[in-house]
Amino acid sequence: MRGRIAGGFVLALVLVLCASFCLTQLAEVDLHWHLLTGSRIVEEGRAPRADTYTFTSAGRPWVDLSWLFQAVVALAHRAGGWLALDALKIVLVAGAFLIASAIALARAGPGLAGALALASIVASQERFTLRPEAFSFLLLSVLLWILARRADRDRVLVLVPPLMILWANVHALYAVGLGVLVLTLAGDYLDHLLRRRAGGRAPVLRALGAATGAAAAGTLLTPYGWRGWDLPRRLLFERIAGENLYARSIAEFQAPFSGFGTTAAIIAFAMLAIALLAAIPLAWRHARAADLLLLAAGLMLALLARRNIPLFTLILLGAGG
């Protein structure tokens, strides 16, 4: 009984903190662009395929994998104005961290889960904006929840392909979801070879492999087909990891410890990273290989650019908690 009360308190705290950090002015520089594009999508009944906004590149092909997010935002604004958009932001962000925190509660108990959730929210709050990535946070947490249940109920994996189809039509970070699936499959296969964990049982491996393959194929079901696969690669290697104007001058593309503004979020991220590195040697023999691979990949992404910190914290709660 005490455990349930403590767990409920942790989830209530997560909800209040996320909502508090979300109650800021809707001042995202590209929000009105998303609203305009979403209104056109709703009116025309199709996703954009060519740039009609920029004089110097008018008519050039446009792969807009956020078209569904833009349509949702436009419909929400028509229905309830700015209050509806505030509510949508809270639902997306708080929903993501509630699901991830619930996974951590089931694995680690209310004490550790509460501490991780608090630090994770503080570390991630710079990205609590109404942008397509907010949908990615929620969908990543749902994917982690599905994978957390794979050993007990492998039939839950049938939810993976439709989830990934939805994600591919909301944001280019669906590539992170595919990466999570591939790393989980690789980790479970390694555990199966070493026979360390029940999660590596052959039936679960087959179900996970089928779900991963179907999910990868499903991400082609966007208005852009094969071109939708190239966009995540270009965003990572040309904008974030590349040497260009974006990487040099925009804060969100900077490495967290590059000195480009040390904030409370960066300090909280540093604490989480240090705690993770200290805990891995202690939990090495009992940890699932998939969790270790996911944590390593999430930490690498966060160290590459501060905009990726929420991806790391959600993985930490959902896979490492």
Side-chain angles (χ1 to χ4, degrees), residues 17 97 113-125 264-265 267-269 271-272 309 313 316:
L17 285 175
F97 279 87
L116 288 175
L118 174 60
S120 295
I121 291 170
V122 174
S124 305
Q125 46 90 15
I267 295 172
F269 167 64
M271 294 171 59
L272 286 171
I309 289 176
T313 61
L316 179 64

Side-chain angles (χ1 to χ4, degrees), residues 133-212:
E133 64 181 342
F135 258 107
S136 285
F137 299 158
L138 178 61
L139 296 175
L140 173 60
S141 290
V142 173
L143 178 61
L144 292 171
W145 177 82
I146 293 172
L147 294 176
R149 298 172 62 88
R150 68 188 183 280
D152 300 322
R153 297 184 60 185
D154 59 359
R155 283 183 289 182
V156 74
L157 293 171
V158 300
L159 298 176
V160 169
L163 177 74
M164 293 304 304
I165 293 172
L166 172 63
W167 198 345
N169 286 278
V170 169
H171 193 210
L173 277 181
Y174 78 86
V176 171
L178 290 180
V180 167
L181 288 169
V182 170
L183 290 176
T184 301
L185 181 61
D188 279 6
Y189 182 69
L190 180 59
D191 279 341
H192 175 68
L193 292 179
L194 299 176
R195 301 191 181 277
R196 294 194 305 173
R197 303 281 299 192
R201 288 178 297 139
V204 178
L205 276 173
R206 288 194 292 269
L208 181 57
T212 300

Side-chain angles (χ1 to χ4, degrees), residues 10 25 42 61 63 67 79 110 123 167 194 204 259 288:
V10 168
Q25 186 176 5
V42 172
V63 178
W67 71 272
W167 198 345
L194 299 176
V204 178
R288 290 187 293 199

Side-chain angles (χ1 to χ4, degrees), residues 196 272-288 291-297 299 312 316 320:
R196 294 194 305 173
L272 286 171
I274 292 171
L276 173 63
L277 294 176
I280 284 179
L282 300 176
W284 179 263
R285 291 190 176 184
H286 305 288
R288 290 187 293 199
D291 293 343
L292 295 174
L293 291 174
L294 289 176
L295 289 168
L299 183 57
F312 163 70
L316 179 64

Side-chain angles (χ1 to χ4, degrees), residues 46 73 79 83 89 173 203 238 255:
R46 59 184 177 87
V73 168
L83 287 178
K89 179 166 67 168
L173 277 181
E238 295 180 12

